[in-house]
Amino acid sequence: MKLVIVDDYDALSRAGADWLIEAIQEQPEAAIVAATGNTPTGMYIELAQYRSRGLVDTSRLRVFQLDAYLGLPPDDHRALFSWTRRSFIEPLGIAEENVVRLAGDAPDPWEACRYYEATVHEVGGFDLSILGLGPNGHLGFNEPPSPPDASTRVVDLTPESIVSNGRYWGGEEQVPRQALTCGMDLLLKARRTLLLVSGTHKHQIVHRAVEGPQTPDVPASFLQSAINVTVLVDWAAWRGQ
Ligand code: PGA
């Protein structure tokens, strides 16, 4: 695990975009799982600006949705797929046929999880994984406790995630109580991972994730044993002030 500490959120977004551009230039057709959330937003904007200046071709990436609320159609404004579409797929010029959705609105969500897993296996696993860190140590919606072999599945959200996600949608009551998440097993096998962490509120959890014991109670701690992981943290998160 490589730890990189940067000054602030802007620096994190720029460093993240540089990391991604290098990875995409090496492998323009990479299979990438891309997180939503506030943390990667600035990095995606940077990346889109590089693309619009013709400095990187992102259009051939194959994009996999990381997580989805259960029961929301993809065009619901809260659906994480519509967030991925707004922040990543459209600004980066990625064709719909190169996007794999985790279908939270499927009649049989468990079947949707199996279909997603089969599709990831078909492409040979993730080349790139872009992750944020939940306030409870989750990756995607792999809520604690999640062991390293946890599969893609339907989960109950923890109260901490419901509060945290309430920031996006104007209150906790707007947040569905269940979700589908790409499993730990797939995420931990990604060939390259970038974990982004920003803000004082992530101080304790980032130290537990990076330095603490590897435990299902902090799912992100299992990244310590994964290959090619870069953790990009700003000083606010690292110092807690
Ligand atoms: P955030 O979310 O980037 O909005 O802090 C991270 C997460 O909950 O995984």
Side-chain angles (χ1 to χ4, degrees):
M1 194 180 241
K2 179 177 165 195
L3 179 67
V4 181
I5 304 174
V6 294
D7 281 349
D8 54 20
Y9 182 72
D10 287 346
L12 180 112
S13 301
R14 283 194 301 273
D18 288 346
W19 184 97
L20 253 176
I21 287 166
E22 202 180 311
I24 295 167
Q25 280 169 342
E26 270 173 37
Q27 206 179 356
E29 293 175 10
I32 180 169
V33 60
T36 54
N38 288 335
T39 317
T41 300
M43 176 179 76
Y44 295 157
I45 291 171
E46 286 278 332
L47 187 60
Q49 286 169 354
Y50 278 101
R51 176 194 174 237
S52 64
R53 299 207 298 270
L55 299 174
V56 62
D57 177 14
T58 49
S59 66
R60 287 184 286 151
L61 291 170
R62 292 165 299 163
V63 181
F64 290 77
Q65 188 180 347
L66 176 63
D67 44 16
Y69 297 122
L70 181 69
L72 294 188
D75 54 354
D76 187 292
H77 73 285
R78 295 164 299 165
L80 298 181
F81 183 71
S82 44
W83 192 341
T84 305
R85 189 192 278 139
R86 283 192 303 276
S87 67
F88 198 85
I89 296 167
E90 286 177 357
L92 298 183
I94 295 159
E96 286 285 333
E97 66 261 25
N98 285 342
V99 176
V100 177
R101 202 160 75 79
L102 191 48
D105 60 331
D108 181 346
W110 285 96
E111 178 57 33
C113 292
R114 285 192 291 273
Y115 172 79
Y116 178 94
E117 283 188 330
T119 314
V120 176
H121 288 307
E122 244 168 59
V123 301
F126 298 130
D127 299 303
L128 303 175
S129 169
I130 307 300
L131 299 172
L133 178 65
N136 58 1
H138 73 201
L139 297 175
F141 277 133
N142 287 283
E143 301 284 67
S146 285
D149 61 353
S151 61
T152 299
R153 67 204 186 284
V154 180
V155 296
D156 294 331
L157 297 185
T158 60
E160 244 176 327
S161 288
I162 292 168
V163 170
S164 171
N165 279 235
R167 293 172 302 152
Y168 310 142
W169 317 119
E172 293 168 39
E173 62 292 343
Q174 297 294 323
V175 182
R177 272 26 188 179
Q178 287 184 294
L180 281 62
T181 185
C182 172
M184 292 294 292
D185 55 351
L186 294 178
L187 293 177
L188 294 173
K189 284 190 205 122
R191 283 180 275 283
R192 265 188 271 193
T193 297
L194 181 64
L195 177 70
L196 299 167
V197 191
S198 172
T200 52
H201 62 301
K202 301 279 176 76
H203 174 60
Q204 288 190 359
I205 197 65
V206 72
H207 283 274
R208 289 181 71 195
V210 169
E211 300 168 334
Q214 296 183 44
T215 164
D217 294 334
V218 183
S221 64
F222 292 117
L223 288 173
Q224 293 173 31
S225 301
I227 55 160
N228 290 332
V229 176
T230 299
V231 184
L232 201 46
V233 190
D234 64 14
W235 275 115
W238 194 249
R239 282 211 203 101
Q241 58 187 21

